[in-house]
Amino acid sequence: MKIMKKAAGAVFATLVLSMTACSGNSQGSGEASQTQGNSGNAGSDTLTVAIWDNGQKAGLDAIIADYTAATGNKAQIQVVTWDQYWSLLEAGATGGELPDVFWMHSNEAYRYMSNGILMDLTDRVSSSEKVDMDQFPEDIKNLYQHEGKVYAIPKDVDTIALWYNKTMFDEAGIPYPDDSWTWDDYYDAAVKLTKEDGSQFGTAMNPTNNQDGWMNIVYSMGGKVISDDKSSSGFDDPNTLKAMEYVDKLIKNAMPSPASMSETGNDVLFSSGKVAMLPFGSWMIAPLKENEYVTANCGVAVLPKDAQTGKRISIYNGLGWAVSAKTQNPEAAWQLVEWFGSEDGQRRQAELGVSMSAYEGVSEGWKNNTDIFDLQPYLDMRQDVVFRPYSKSTVIWENQISEDLRDAWNENVSMAEACAKITEDMNKILAEEN
């Protein structure tokens, strides 16, 4: 299917807004690099595959090698930075060339599925002997379906766990985090680990750290970001406000300045020994296990639970493998996506350390991809999860939330005022969806 360039331009205009990486820094971290060359494959027998995380490339290359050996079809991965990735797809959607196969994300799935950009995979999935959709989580499977049709095959599952600096804990005489920890314990430790001279802080979090930051606290404390029917904001929920007031205490008493966190990046602060604790998404394993300071000093635990609700929540998400509706090699492209989505492909993805797999029961091998850290906490966090909040216009209201929260981080307004502003702004955006 094709869409008129003018219509597509209007639909995709908001893509030029700055975006947070998935998953709120959620899916595209690591040393992503811009690969030069044609984004399409017209006139070529080699499929182009676009991703945004360089840390996953080596493992995916190995899987593609298996695919090529079995089918004779060739494919080449292009790694593109998160922002450039969506610009690349925008250009392809409005008249240029799209990669044959590419990742899809919860922020953008509806927009692409509803405008003829993605190939309808429904019939191919139903007749496939390799892909069993019943083995994927309902949330992720449903995310990539629109009006009863399938537009992407689930790729992975990501969860959030707590990383901590063992050396800093030892020096402060504080026991390491474990599954008994509540968010109150987290706060108390973060304050104790913060030094008055500004050389060390207990934790860090930016307004854009949603999936890997404040959203986990909101949902563990019984709050919500968006209503279940996706019609209204959840920032007027008393439990949401309670959670964000808790975050506000951390900002004021246990974090670097907002400017420092924004300019340096929390992962850099942690991996250089400036921050003692930080929630990280499972997509961060590749760069963390390559960092000498982190490997020498740090460990992993489950996230804290709320003392009142008893909930230990990880926001989770999952990418999808999609095929361009414009591909010149539809059968080969489908066969590659089918290969990635098969039980064997998903098991290989886990064992190679690419990411936890979406396919039920094959991710145990993922925790064994490194003996440097115990990654079991990430698998344990799958026991009580909430799917990353989304709607038809996720990017728009996520950006607005970040903007409104920035005022609270900088103490221009109170956290309560920021949450009231988010409620108003978000409700206006959601009202325009229908």
Side-chain angles (χ1 to χ4, degrees):
M1 292 176 64
K2 295 183 178 179
I3 58 175
M4 296 297 291
K5 184 173 182 179
K6 181 177 179 180
V11 171
F12 286 85
T14 55
L15 280 172
V16 299
L17 295 172
S18 61
M19 303 181 195
T20 56
C22 155
S23 247
N25 305 30
S26 153
Q27 280 293 356
S29 42
E31 295 294 324
S33 61
Q34 178 71 44
T35 301
Q36 301 299 321
N38 189 350
S39 62
N41 79 318
S44 171
D45 292 330
T46 301
L47 297 171
T48 52
V49 181
I51 68 174
W52 60 73
D53 186 352
N54 199 51
Q56 298 191 33
K57 182 178 185 298
L60 293 176
D61 278 340
I63 298 173
I64 287 175
D66 295 340
Y67 158 81
T68 299
T71 67
N73 299 322
K74 298 178 181 178
Q76 183 176 28
I77 291 178
Q78 301 173 342
V79 184
V80 188
T81 59
W82 169 263
D83 289 332
Q84 292 170 327
Y85 182 91
W86 297 107
S87 296
L88 171 73
L89 295 194
E90 176 192 0
T94 55
E97 291 184 327
L98 282 165
D100 296 292
V101 174
F102 47 91
W103 285 348
M104 191 43 54
H105 186 277
S106 59
N107 278 6
E108 298 294 341
Y110 174 80
R111 196 189 316 249
Y112 281 82
M113 292 188 299
S114 62
N115 284 282
I117 310 303
L118 309 183
M119 188 166 80
D120 179 1
L121 304 177
T122 310
D123 292 340
R124 288 179 166 88
V125 168
S126 64
S127 61
S128 175
E129 295 181 357
K130 293 185 175 70
V131 173
D132 182 356
M133 295 295 280
D134 290 337
Q135 298 302 313
F136 297 115
E138 286 295 317
D139 289 325
I140 301 177
K141 183 172 62 176
N142 293 338
L143 171 64
Y144 298 116
Q145 296 183 16
H146 177 62
E147 295 182 348
K149 296 182 178 181
V150 178
Y151 288 96
I153 303 299
K155 174 190 175 290
D156 55 26
V157 168
D158 53 49
T159 57
I160 314 301
L162 175 61
W163 286 69
Y164 59 95
N165 190 307
K166 293 185 288 186
T167 303
M168 292 180 181
F169 272 75
D170 290 343
E171 290 174 351
I174 301 173
Y176 299 157
D178 58 25
D179 61 6
S180 70
W181 262 39
T182 67
W183 285 110
D184 292 333
D185 295 320
Y186 185 90
Y187 175 81
D188 291 342
V191 171
K192 291 176 183 176
L193 289 160
T194 299
K195 295 185 177 180
E196 293 184 4
D197 63 3
S199 62
Q200 177 181 304
F201 294 89
T203 190
M205 191 184 302
N206 281 311
T208 53
N209 289 126
N210 43 47
Q211 184 187 348
D212 58 350
W214 51 263
M215 277 187 183
N216 302 282
I217 301 170
V218 166
Y219 280 90
S220 68
M221 293 188 179
K224 61 182 65 175
V225 169
I226 190 171
S227 62
D228 293 341
D229 63 3
K230 304 183 188 299
S231 67
S232 62
S233 172
F235 275 82
D236 57 353
D237 185 309
N239 290 323
T240 302
L241 181 57
K242 178 182 72 173
M244 295 309 296
E245 294 280 12
Y246 168 86
V247 171
D248 194 47
K249 289 199 307 178
L250 286 172
I251 295 167
K252 289 181 169 63
N253 300 321
M255 293 191 194
S257 70
S260 177
M261 291 188 289
S262 177
E263 292 168 5
T264 306
N266 295 337
D267 56 336
V268 176
L269 291 170
F270 181 78
S271 61
S272 59
K274 301 296 184 184
V275 169
M277 296 184 291
L278 205 61
F280 275 123
S282 52
W283 58 88
M284 284 294 294
I285 300 304
L288 288 170
K289 70 182 182 182
E290 298 298 325
N291 185 281
E292 292 184 5
Y293 180 86
V294 173
T295 59
N297 293 280
C298 301
V300 192
V302 293
L303 290 177
K305 59 188 174 184
D306 180 61
Q308 292 185 337
T309 67
K311 291 182 178 179
R312 184 194 323 280
I313 297 293
S314 169
I315 304 298
Y316 85 108
N317 197 19
L319 302 185
W321 284 110
V323 177
S324 167
K326 300 178 183 179
T327 180
Q328 299 300 304
N329 296 313
E331 194 55 39
W334 156 247
Q335 288 176 1
L336 178 58
V337 167
E338 182 184 40
W339 191 274
F340 281 132
S342 67
E343 181 177 1
D344 288 344
Q346 289 276 293
R347 179 177 289 105
R348 186 106 165 98
Q349 171 179 268
E351 292 172 348
L352 288 167
V354 175
S355 61
M356 286 189 288
S357 293
Y359 200 96
E360 181 68 30
V362 303
S363 283
E364 277 297 312
W366 175 79
K367 71 177 181 181
N368 300 322
N369 78 85
T370 178
D371 58 2
I372 302 172
F373 308 109
D374 178 8
L375 300 180
Q376 183 63 41
Y378 281 103
L379 296 178
D380 292 342
M381 289 306 305
R382 294 180 65 169
Q383 297 173 11
D384 201 354
V385 292
V386 169
F387 198 62
R388 191 176 192 273
Y390 72 96
S391 72
K392 296 178 181 178
S393 57
T394 311
V395 171
I396 300 174
W397 54 256
E398 265 198 2
N399 286 337
Q400 189 60 56
I401 288 174
S402 297
E403 187 65 29
D404 291 341
L405 286 179
R406 197 166 287 114
D407 283 336
W409 253 251
N410 291 318
E411 299 188 57
N412 296 326
V413 300
S414 68
M415 184 60 77
E417 290 171 324
C419 289
K421 179 70 162 49
I422 290 170
T423 301
E424 179 182 355
D425 291 340
M426 198 171 166
N427 284 342
K428 289 179 181 177
I429 294 167
L430 291 171
E432 294 175 359
E433 287 190 0
N434 301 313

